[in-house]
Coordinates of all heavy atoms in Angstrom, one line a residue:
M1 N 25.5 -59.8 -54.9 CA 24.3 -59.8 -54.4 C 23.2 -59.3 -55.2 O 23.4 -58.3 -55.8 CB 24.2 -59.3 -52.8 CG 22.8 -59.3 -52.2 SD 22.7 -58.5 -50.7 CE 22.9 -59.9 -49.6
H2 N 22.0 -60.1 -55.3 CA 20.9 -59.5 -56.2 C 19.8 -58.9 -55.2 O 19.7 -59.5 -54.2 CB 20.3 -60.7 -56.8 CG 21.2 -61.3 -57.9 ND1 21.4 -60.7 -59.2 CD2 22.1 -62.3 -58.0 CE1 22.3 -61.3 -59.9 NE2 22.8 -62.4 -59.1
C3 N 19.3 -57.8 -55.8 CA 18.4 -57.1 -55.2 C 17.0 -57.9 -54.8 O 16.6 -58.6 -55.7 CB 17.9 -55.8 -55.8 SG 16.6 -54.9 -55.1
P4 N 16.6 -58.0 -53.4 CA 15.4 -58.8 -53.2 C 14.1 -58.2 -53.7 O 13.1 -58.9 -53.8 CB 15.4 -58.8 -51.6 CG 16.2 -57.8 -51.3 CD 17.2 -57.3 -52.3
Y5 N 14.2 -56.9 -54.3 CA 12.9 -56.3 -54.8 C 12.9 -56.5 -56.3 O 11.9 -56.9 -57.0 CB 13.0 -54.9 -54.4 CG 13.0 -54.7 -52.9 CD1 14.0 -54.7 -52.2 CD2 11.6 -54.6 -52.3 CE1 14.0 -54.3 -50.7 CE2 11.6 -54.4 -50.9 CZ 12.7 -54.3 -50.1 OH 12.6 -54.2 -48.8
C6 N 14.1 -56.1 -57.1 CA 14.1 -56.1 -58.5 C 14.9 -57.2 -59.2 O 14.9 -57.3 -60.3 CB 14.4 -54.7 -58.9 SG 16.2 -54.3 -58.9
E7 N 15.7 -57.8 -58.3 CA 16.6 -59.0 -58.8 C 17.9 -58.4 -59.5 O 18.6 -59.2 -60.0 CB 15.8 -60.0 -59.7 CG 14.6 -60.5 -59.1 CD 14.7 -61.9 -58.3 OE1 15.6 -62.7 -58.7 OE2 14.0 -62.0 -57.2
G8 N 17.9 -57.1 -59.6 CA 19.2 -56.5 -60.2 C 20.4 -56.8 -59.3 O 20.4 -57.0 -58.2
E9 N 21.6 -56.6 -59.9 CA 22.8 -56.7 -59.3 C 23.0 -55.5 -58.2 O 22.7 -54.4 -58.7 CB 24.0 -56.8 -60.3 CG 25.3 -57.0 -59.7 CD 25.4 -58.5 -59.2 OE1 24.7 -59.5 -59.8 OE2 26.1 -58.7 -58.2
M10 N 23.4 -55.8 -57.1 CA 23.6 -54.7 -56.1 C 25.1 -54.3 -56.0 O 26.0 -55.1 -56.3 CB 23.1 -55.1 -54.7 CG 21.6 -55.5 -54.7 SD 21.0 -55.8 -53.1 CE 20.4 -54.2 -52.5
E11 N 25.3 -53.0 -55.7 CA 26.7 -52.5 -55.5 C 27.1 -52.8 -54.0 O 26.4 -52.5 -53.1 CB 26.7 -51.0 -55.8 CG 26.2 -50.5 -57.1 CD 25.9 -49.1 -57.2 OE1 25.6 -48.4 -56.2 OE2 26.1 -48.6 -58.3
K12 N 28.3 -53.2 -54.0 CA 28.9 -53.6 -52.5 C 29.5 -52.3 -52.1 O 30.2 -51.6 -52.8 CB 29.9 -54.7 -52.6 CG 30.4 -55.1 -51.3 CD 31.3 -56.3 -51.5 CE 31.7 -56.7 -50.0 NZ 32.5 -57.9 -50.1
G13 N 29.3 -51.9 -50.9 CA 30.0 -50.7 -50.3 C 29.8 -50.8 -48.8 O 29.7 -51.9 -48.2
L14 N 30.0 -49.6 -48.1 CA 30.2 -49.6 -46.7 C 29.2 -48.5 -46.1 O 29.1 -47.5 -46.7 CB 31.6 -49.3 -46.2 CG 32.7 -50.2 -46.6 CD1 34.0 -49.7 -46.1 CD2 32.5 -51.5 -45.9
I15 N 28.8 -48.8 -45.0 CA 28.0 -47.8 -44.2 C 29.1 -47.4 -43.0 O 29.5 -48.4 -42.4 CB 26.6 -48.1 -43.6 CG1 25.8 -48.3 -44.8 CG2 26.2 -47.1 -42.6 CD1 24.3 -48.6 -44.3
Q16 N 29.5 -46.3 -43.0 CA 30.4 -45.8 -42.0 C 29.9 -44.9 -41.0 O 29.0 -44.0 -41.4 CB 31.6 -45.1 -42.6 CG 32.4 -46.1 -43.5 CD 33.6 -45.5 -44.1 OE1 33.5 -44.8 -45.2 NE2 34.8 -45.6 -43.6
S17 N 30.4 -44.8 -39.8 CA 30.1 -43.7 -38.8 C 31.2 -43.5 -37.8 O 32.0 -44.4 -37.6 CB 28.8 -44.3 -38.0 OG 28.6 -43.4 -37.0
P18 N 31.2 -42.4 -37.2 CA 32.3 -42.1 -36.1 C 31.7 -42.8 -34.9 O 32.3 -42.8 -33.8 CB 32.4 -40.7 -35.9 CG 31.1 -40.0 -36.5 CD 30.6 -41.0 -37.6
H19 N 30.3 -43.2 -34.9 CA 29.7 -43.7 -33.8 C 29.3 -45.2 -34.0 O 29.4 -45.7 -35.1 CB 28.4 -43.1 -33.4 CG 28.6 -41.7 -33.2 ND1 29.3 -41.1 -32.1 CD2 28.4 -40.6 -33.9 CE1 29.5 -39.8 -32.2 NE2 28.9 -39.4 -33.4
E20 N 28.9 -46.0 -32.9 CA 28.3 -47.2 -33.3 C 27.3 -47.4 -34.2 O 26.5 -46.3 -34.2 CB 27.9 -47.9 -31.9 CG 27.2 -49.3 -32.0 CD 26.7 -49.7 -30.7 OE1 25.6 -49.2 -30.3 OE2 27.4 -50.4 -29.8
I21 N 27.1 -48.4 -35.1 CA 26.0 -48.4 -36.0 C 25.1 -49.5 -35.5 O 25.6 -50.7 -35.4 CB 26.4 -48.7 -37.4 CG1 27.4 -47.7 -38.0 CG2 25.4 -48.8 -38.4 CD1 28.0 -48.1 -39.3
S22 N 23.9 -49.1 -35.3 CA 22.9 -50.1 -34.8 C 21.5 -49.8 -35.2 O 21.1 -48.8 -35.7 CB 22.9 -50.0 -33.3 OG 22.5 -48.7 -32.8
W23 N 20.8 -50.9 -35.2 CA 19.2 -50.9 -35.4 C 18.5 -51.1 -34.2 O 19.0 -52.0 -33.3 CB 18.9 -52.0 -36.5 CG 17.4 -52.0 -36.8 CD1 16.8 -51.4 -37.8 CD2 16.5 -52.9 -36.1 NE1 15.5 -51.8 -37.7 CE2 15.3 -52.7 -36.7 CE3 16.6 -53.8 -35.0 CZ2 14.1 -53.2 -36.2 CZ3 15.4 -54.5 -34.6 CH2 14.2 -54.2 -35.2
I24 N 17.5 -50.3 -34.0 CA 16.8 -50.4 -32.7 C 15.3 -50.5 -33.0 O 14.8 -49.7 -33.8 CB 17.0 -49.2 -31.7 CG1 18.7 -49.2 -31.3 CG2 16.2 -49.4 -30.4 CD1 19.0 -47.9 -30.4
K25 N 14.7 -51.4 -32.4 CA 13.2 -51.7 -32.8 C 12.4 -50.5 -32.4 O 12.6 -49.9 -31.3 CB 12.8 -52.9 -32.1 CG 11.4 -53.3 -32.3 CD 11.0 -54.5 -31.6 CE 9.5 -55.1 -31.8 NZ 9.3 -56.3 -31.1
G26 N 11.4 -50.2 -33.0 CA 10.4 -49.2 -32.8 C 10.6 -47.8 -33.6 O 11.5 -47.9 -34.4
E27 N 9.9 -47.0 -33.4 CA 9.8 -45.7 -34.2 C 10.3 -44.6 -33.5 O 10.5 -43.4 -34.0 CB 8.5 -45.5 -34.9 CG 8.2 -46.5 -35.9 CD 6.9 -46.3 -36.5 OE1 6.6 -45.1 -36.7 OE2 6.3 -47.3 -37.0
K28 N 10.5 -44.6 -32.1 CA 10.9 -43.5 -31.3 C 12.5 -43.7 -31.2 O 13.1 -44.6 -30.9 CB 10.3 -43.4 -30.0 CG 8.9 -43.1 -30.0 CD 8.2 -43.0 -28.7 CE 6.7 -42.6 -28.7 NZ 6.1 -42.5 -27.5
R29 N 13.1 -42.5 -31.2 CA 14.5 -42.4 -30.9 C 14.8 -42.7 -29.5 O 14.1 -42.5 -28.7 CB 15.1 -40.9 -31.2 CG 15.0 -40.6 -32.6 CD 15.6 -39.2 -32.8 NE 15.7 -38.8 -34.1 CZ 16.7 -38.0 -34.6 NH1 17.7 -37.7 -33.8 NH2 16.7 -37.8 -35.9
K30 N 15.8 -43.5 -29.2 CA 16.3 -43.9 -28.0 C 17.4 -42.9 -27.5 O 18.0 -42.2 -28.3 CB 16.8 -45.3 -27.9 CG 15.8 -46.4 -28.4 CD 14.6 -46.6 -27.5 CE 13.7 -47.6 -27.9 NZ 13.0 -47.6 -29.0
M31 N 17.6 -43.0 -26.3 CA 18.8 -42.3 -25.7 C 20.1 -42.8 -26.4 O 20.2 -43.9 -26.6 CB 19.0 -42.5 -24.2 CG 17.9 -41.8 -23.3 SD 18.2 -40.1 -23.1 CE 19.5 -40.2 -21.9
L32 N 21.0 -41.8 -26.7 CA 22.3 -42.2 -27.4 C 23.0 -43.1 -26.4 O 22.9 -42.8 -25.3 CB 23.1 -41.0 -27.9 CG 22.4 -40.3 -29.0 CD1 23.3 -39.0 -29.4 CD2 22.5 -41.2 -30.3
G33 N 23.8 -43.9 -26.8 CA 24.6 -44.8 -26.1 C 24.7 -46.2 -26.8 O 24.0 -46.3 -27.9
R34 N 25.3 -47.1 -26.2 CA 25.6 -48.3 -26.8 C 24.2 -49.2 -26.9 O 23.3 -49.2 -25.9 CB 26.6 -49.2 -25.9 CG 27.9 -48.5 -26.0 CD 28.7 -49.4 -26.4 NE 29.6 -49.2 -27.4 CZ 30.8 -49.7 -27.3 NH1 31.1 -50.3 -26.1 NH2 31.7 -49.8 -28.2
A35 N 23.9 -49.4 -28.2 CA 22.6 -50.2 -28.5 C 22.4 -51.4 -27.7 O 21.3 -51.8 -27.4 CB 22.5 -50.4 -30.0
R36 N 23.4 -52.2 -27.3 CA 23.3 -53.4 -26.7 C 22.6 -53.2 -25.3 O 22.1 -54.2 -24.8 CB 24.7 -54.0 -26.5 CG 25.7 -53.4 -25.4 CD 27.0 -54.0 -25.3 NE 27.5 -54.0 -26.5 CZ 28.6 -54.7 -26.9 NH1 29.1 -55.6 -26.1 NH2 29.2 -54.6 -28.0
F37 N 22.6 -52.0 -24.8 CA 22.0 -51.8 -23.6 C 20.4 -51.6 -23.7 O 19.6 -51.6 -22.8 CB 22.6 -50.6 -22.8 CG 23.9 -50.9 -22.4 CD1 25.0 -49.9 -22.8 CD2 24.4 -52.0 -21.7 CE1 26.3 -50.1 -22.7 CE2 25.7 -52.1 -21.4 CZ 26.7 -51.2 -21.9
H38 N 20.0 -51.6 -24.9 CA 18.6 -51.4 -25.2 C 18.1 -52.8 -25.6 O 18.8 -53.8 -26.0 CB 18.3 -50.5 -26.5 CG 18.6 -49.1 -26.2 ND1 18.0 -48.3 -25.3 CD2 19.8 -48.5 -26.6 CE1 18.6 -47.1 -25.3 NE2 19.6 -47.1 -26.0
K39 N 16.7 -53.1 -25.5 CA 16.2 -54.3 -25.7 C 15.9 -54.3 -27.2 O 15.5 -53.3 -27.7 CB 14.8 -54.3 -24.9 CG 14.1 -55.8 -24.8 CD 13.0 -55.7 -24.0 CE 12.0 -56.8 -24.2 NZ 10.8 -56.8 -23.7
D40 N 15.9 -55.4 -27.9 CA 15.6 -55.7 -29.2 C 16.4 -54.7 -30.1 O 15.9 -53.8 -31.0 CB 14.1 -55.2 -29.5 CG 13.2 -56.3 -28.8 OD1 13.5 -57.4 -28.7 OD2 12.0 -55.8 -28.4
C41 N 17.7 -54.7 -30.0 CA 18.6 -54.0 -30.9 C 19.5 -55.0 -31.6 O 19.8 -56.2 -31.3 CB 19.5 -53.2 -30.0 SG 20.8 -53.9 -29.1
V42 N 20.2 -54.5 -32.6 CA 21.0 -55.3 -33.5 C 22.3 -54.3 -33.8 O 22.2 -53.2 -34.4 CB 20.4 -55.6 -34.9 CG1 21.6 -56.3 -35.8 CG2 19.3 -56.5 -34.8
V43 N 23.3 -54.7 -33.3 CA 24.5 -53.9 -33.5 C 25.2 -54.4 -34.7 O 25.5 -55.5 -35.0 CB 25.6 -54.1 -32.2 CG1 26.9 -53.4 -32.5 CG2 25.0 -53.6 -30.9
L44 N 25.2 -53.4 -35.7 CA 25.7 -53.7 -37.1 C 27.2 -53.5 -37.1 O 27.9 -54.2 -38.0 CB 25.0 -52.8 -38.1 CG 23.6 -53.0 -38.2 CD1 22.9 -52.0 -38.9 CD2 23.2 -54.4 -38.7
S45 N 27.7 -52.5 -36.3 CA 29.2 -52.5 -36.2 C 29.6 -51.8 -34.9 O 29.1 -50.8 -34.4 CB 29.8 -51.5 -37.4 OG 31.2 -51.3 -37.3
E46 N 30.4 -52.7 -34.2 CA 31.0 -52.1 -32.9 C 31.7 -50.9 -33.1 O 32.3 -50.7 -34.0 CB 31.9 -53.3 -32.3 CG 31.2 -54.6 -32.1 CD 30.4 -54.6 -30.8 OE1 30.5 -53.8 -30.0 OE2 29.6 -55.6 -30.5
L47 N 31.8 -50.1 -32.1 CA 32.5 -48.9 -32.1 C 34.1 -49.2 -32.0 O 34.4 -49.8 -30.9 CB 32.1 -47.8 -31.2 CG 32.9 -46.5 -31.2 CD1 32.8 -45.8 -32.5 CD2 32.4 -45.7 -30.0
S48 N 35.0 -48.6 -32.7 CA 36.4 -48.6 -32.5 C 36.7 -47.1 -32.3 O 36.5 -46.3 -33.3 CB 37.2 -49.2 -33.7 OG 38.6 -48.8 -33.5
F49 N 37.2 -46.8 -31.2 CA 37.6 -45.4 -31.1 C 38.7 -44.9 -32.0 O 38.7 -43.7 -32.4 CB 38.0 -45.1 -29.6 CG 36.9 -45.2 -28.5 CD1 36.8 -46.3 -27.9 CD2 36.0 -44.2 -28.5 CE1 35.7 -46.4 -27.0 CE2 34.9 -44.3 -27.7 CZ 34.7 -45.3 -26.8
M50 N 39.4 -45.8 -32.6 CA 40.6 -45.5 -33.6 C 40.0 -45.3 -34.9 O 40.4 -44.5 -35.6 CB 41.7 -46.5 -33.5 CG 42.4 -46.5 -32.2 SD 43.3 -44.9 -31.7 CE 44.7 -45.1 -32.8
K51 N 39.0 -46.1 -35.3 CA 38.7 -46.2 -36.6 C 37.2 -46.0 -36.9 O 36.8 -45.9 -38.1 CB 38.9 -47.7 -37.2 CG 40.3 -48.2 -37.1 CD 40.5 -49.5 -37.7 CE 40.0 -50.7 -36.7 NZ 40.3 -52.1 -37.0
G52 N 36.5 -45.6 -35.9 CA 35.0 -45.4 -36.0 C 34.3 -46.8 -36.3 O 35.0 -47.9 -35.8
S53 N 33.2 -46.9 -36.9 CA 32.6 -48.1 -37.2 C 32.2 -48.2 -38.7 O 32.1 -47.2 -39.3 CB 31.3 -48.3 -36.4 OG 30.4 -47.2 -36.6
A54 N 32.1 -49.4 -39.2 CA 31.8 -49.6 -40.6 C 31.2 -51.0 -40.7 O 31.7 -52.0 -40.0 CB 33.1 -49.6 -41.5
C55 N 30.2 -51.1 -41.6 CA 29.8 -52.6 -42.1 C 29.5 -52.5 -43.5 O 29.2 -51.6 -44.1 CB 28.5 -52.9 -41.2 SG 27.0 -51.9 -41.5
V56 N 29.6 -53.7 -44.1 CA 29.5 -54.0 -45.5 C 27.9 -53.8 -45.7 O 27.0 -54.4 -45.0 CB 29.9 -55.3 -45.9 CG1 29.5 -55.6 -47.4 CG2 31.4 -55.5 -45.7
A57 N 27.4 -53.1 -46.8 CA 26.1 -53.1 -47.2 C 26.0 -53.0 -48.7 O 26.9 -52.7 -49.4 CB 25.5 -51.6 -46.6
Y58 N 24.8 -53.4 -49.1 CA 24.6 -53.6 -50.7 C 23.7 -52.7 -51.0 O 22.5 -52.4 -50.3 CB 24.2 -55.0 -51.0 CG 25.3 -56.0 -50.8 CD1 25.5 -56.6 -49.5 CD2 26.2 -56.2 -51.8 CE1 26.7 -57.4 -49.3 CE2 27.3 -57.1 -51.6 CZ 27.5 -57.7 -50.4 OH 28.6 -58.6 -50.2
H59 N 23.8 -51.9 -52.0 CA 22.9 -50.7 -52.5 C 22.2 -51.2 -54.0 O 23.0 -51.5 -54.9 CB 23.7 -49.6 -52.8 CG 23.1 -48.4 -53.3 ND1 23.6 -47.7 -54.4 CD2 21.9 -47.7 -53.0 CE1 22.8 -46.7 -54.8 NE2 21.8 -46.7 -54.0
C60 N 21.0 -50.9 -54.1 CA 20.4 -51.0 -55.4 C 20.0 -49.6 -55.8 O 19.1 -49.0 -55.2 CB 19.1 -51.9 -55.3 SG 18.3 -52.0 -56.8
P61 N 20.6 -49.0 -56.7 CA 20.3 -47.7 -57.1 C 18.9 -47.5 -57.9 O 18.2 -46.6 -57.9 CB 21.4 -47.3 -58.1 CG 22.0 -48.5 -58.6 CD 21.7 -49.6 -57.4
T62 N 18.4 -48.7 -58.5 CA 17.1 -48.7 -59.1 C 16.1 -48.5 -58.0 O 15.0 -47.8 -58.1 CB 16.9 -50.0 -59.9 OG1 18.0 -50.2 -60.8 CG2 15.6 -50.1 -60.6
C63 N 16.0 -49.4 -57.0 CA 15.0 -49.4 -56.0 C 15.3 -48.5 -54.9 O 14.5 -48.2 -54.0 CB 14.8 -50.9 -55.3 SG 14.4 -52.1 -56.6
Q64 N 16.5 -47.9 -54.8 CA 16.9 -47.1 -53.7 C 16.8 -47.8 -52.4 O 16.2 -47.3 -51.4 CB 16.3 -45.7 -53.7 CG 16.7 -44.9 -55.1 CD 15.9 -43.5 -55.1 OE1 15.3 -43.1 -54.3 NE2 16.3 -42.9 -56.2
K65 N 17.4 -48.9 -52.4 CA 17.2 -49.8 -51.0 C 18.8 -50.1 -50.7 O 19.6 -50.3 -51.5 CB 16.6 -51.1 -51.3 CG 15.2 -50.9 -51.9 CD 14.3 -50.5 -50.7 CE 12.8 -50.5 -51.5 NZ 11.9 -49.7 -50.6
I66 N 19.1 -50.3 -49.3 CA 20.3 -50.6 -48.9 C 20.0 -52.0 -48.1 O 18.9 -51.9 -47.3 CB 20.9 -49.7 -48.0 CG1 21.0 -48.4 -48.5 CG2 22.1 -50.2 -47.2 CD1 22.1 -48.2 -49.5
V67 N 20.8 -53.0 -48.2 CA 20.5 -54.3 -47.5 C 21.9 -54.5 -46.9 O 23.0 -54.5 -47.2 CB 20.3 -55.4 -48.5 CG1 20.3 -56.8 -47.9 CG2 19.0 -55.2 -49.4
I68 N 21.7 -54.9 -45.4 CA 22.8 -55.3 -44.6 C 22.5 -56.7 -44.1 O 21.5 -56.9 -43.5 CB 22.9 -54.4 -43.5 CG1 23.1 -52.9 -44.0 CG2 24.1 -54.8 -42.6 CD1 23.1 -51.9 -42.8
D69 N 23.4 -57.6 -44.4 CA 23.5 -59.0 -43.9 C 24.3 -59.0 -42.6 O 25.4 -58.8 -42.6 CB 24.0 -60.0 -45.0 CG 23.9 -61.5 -44.4 OD1 23.5 -61.6 -43.2 OD2 24.3 -62.3 -45.2
Y70 N 23.6 -59.1 -41.4 CA 24.4 -59.1 -40.2 C 24.7 -60.4 -39.5 O 25.0 -60.4 -38.3 CB 23.8 -58.0 -39.1 CG 22.5 -58.4 -38.7 CD1 22.3 -59.2 -37.5 CD2 21.3 -58.2 -39.3 CE1 21.1 -59.5 -37.0 CE2 20.0 -58.5 -38.8 CZ 20.0 -59.2 -37.6 OH 18.7 -59.5 -37.1
I71 N 24.4 -61.5 -40.2 CA 24.5 -62.8 -39.5 C 25.9 -63.0 -39.0 O 26.9 -62.8 -39.7 CB 24.2 -63.9 -40.6 CG1 24.2 -65.2 -39.9 CG2 25.1 -64.1 -41.8 CD1 23.5 -66.4 -40.7
D72 N 26.1 -63.4 -37.8 CA 27.3 -63.6 -37.1 C 28.3 -62.6 -37.1 O 29.5 -62.7 -37.0 CB 27.9 -64.9 -37.6 CG 27.2 -66.2 -37.4 OD1 26.4 -66.2 -36.5 OD2 27.1 -67.1 -38.3
G73 N 27.9 -61.3 -37.4 CA 28.7 -60.1 -37.4 C 29.6 -60.1 -38.5 O 30.6 -59.4 -38.4
K74 N 29.5 -61.0 -39.5 CA 30.4 -61.2 -40.6 C 30.7 -59.9 -41.4 O 31.7 -59.8 -42.1 CB 30.1 -62.3 -41.4 CG 28.9 -62.0 -42.3 CD 28.6 -63.1 -43.4 CE 27.5 -62.8 -44.4 NZ 27.2 -63.8 -45.4
N75 N 29.7 -58.9 -41.5 CA 29.8 -57.8 -42.3 C 30.3 -56.6 -41.4 O 30.4 -55.4 -42.0 CB 28.7 -57.4 -43.0 CG 28.6 -58.4 -44.3 OD1 29.5 -58.7 -44.8 ND2 27.3 -58.9 -44.6
D76 N 30.5 -56.8 -40.1 CA 31.1 -55.7 -39.3 C 32.6 -55.7 -39.4 O 33.2 -56.7 -39.0 CB 30.6 -56.0 -37.8 CG 31.1 -55.0 -36.8 OD1 32.0 -54.1 -37.2 OD2 30.9 -55.2 -35.6
L77 N 33.1 -54.6 -39.9 CA 34.6 -54.5 -40.1 C 35.3 -54.4 -38.8 O 36.4 -54.5 -38.7 CB 34.9 -53.4 -40.9 CG 35.0 -53.6 -42.5 CD1 33.6 -54.1 -43.1 CD2 35.5 -52.3 -43.2
N78 N 34.6 -54.2 -37.7 CA 35.2 -54.2 -36.4 C 35.1 -55.4 -35.6 O 35.5 -55.6 -34.4 CB 34.8 -53.0 -35.6 CG 35.3 -51.7 -36.1 OD1 36.1 -51.6 -36.7 ND2 34.6 -50.6 -35.6
A79 N 34.4 -56.4 -36.1 CA 34.1 -57.6 -35.5 C 35.4 -58.4 -35.3 O 36.4 -58.4 -36.1 CB 33.1 -58.6 -36.3
K80 N 35.5 -59.2 -34.3 CA 36.7 -60.0 -33.9 C 37.2 -60.9 -35.0 O 38.4 -61.0 -35.3 CB 36.6 -60.6 -32.7 CG 36.5 -59.7 -31.4 CD 36.4 -60.5 -30.2 CE 36.5 -59.5 -28.9 NZ 35.4 -58.6 -29.1
N81 N 36.3 -61.4 -35.8 CA 36.6 -62.2 -37.0 C 36.8 -61.6 -38.3 O 37.0 -62.1 -39.3 CB 35.5 -63.3 -37.1 CG 34.3 -62.8 -37.5 OD1 34.1 -61.6 -37.3 ND2 33.2 -63.7 -37.7
A82 N 36.8 -60.2 -38.3 CA 37.0 -59.6 -39.5 C 38.4 -59.3 -39.7 O 39.3 -59.7 -39.0 CB 36.4 -58.1 -39.4
D83 N 38.7 -59.1 -41.1 CA 40.1 -58.9 -41.5 C 40.8 -57.8 -40.8 O 40.3 -56.8 -40.6 CB 40.3 -58.8 -43.1 CG 39.7 -60.0 -43.8 OD1 39.7 -61.1 -43.2 OD2 39.3 -59.7 -44.9
Ligands
ZN101 ZN1 16.4 -53.3 -56.8

């Protein structure tokens, strides 16, 4: 993947957590808990109690940016269609 800022080659990696990984709209922290119960949320990786959560992400060390493509949950390692 090429960086959308500098066009350089990005490094493929993972974002991992012992908790669900999600993006929630706004700048205020929400109560902890499953993001799907909040309005305007994107679940990047479902929680697995055995494995934690992980999603594929691309890193540009030049721009210090991380990009996550969450279309159809394809980069969620816990998604039902993941390997
Ligand atoms: Zn870049």
Side-chain angles (χ1 to χ4, degrees):
M1 174 182 262
H2 292 277
C3 175
Y5 296 91
C6 73
E7 308 268 322
E9 191 67 31
M10 299 185 87
E11 303 167 327
K12 187 176 183 179
L14 298 176
I15 291 181
Q16 294 180 272
S17 172
H19 306 285
E20 177 185 83
I21 300 171
S22 60
W23 176 91
I24 299 174
K25 186 176 178 179
E27 296 182 24
K28 289 188 177 177
R29 289 179 179 219
K30 304 290 192 287
M31 291 281 291
L32 288 176
R34 295 243 133 134
R36 72 180 59 198
F37 299 123
H38 296 285
K39 199 175 164 196
D40 297 324
C41 75
V42 175
V43 176
L44 299 168
S45 180
E46 300 278 351
L47 178 64
S48 162
F49 287 103
M50 297 295 284
K51 299 182 284 186
S53 58
C55 65
V56 175
Y58 293 84
H59 171 237
C60 177
T62 303
C63 300
Q64 298 184 0
K65 306 283 188 198
I66 304 283
V67 173
I68 300 170
D69 180 359
Y70 67 91
I71 189 166
D72 297 331
K74 71 174 185 176
N75 285 323
D76 176 359
L77 272 60
N78 289 344
K80 290 179 177 56
N81 59 353
D83 296 336

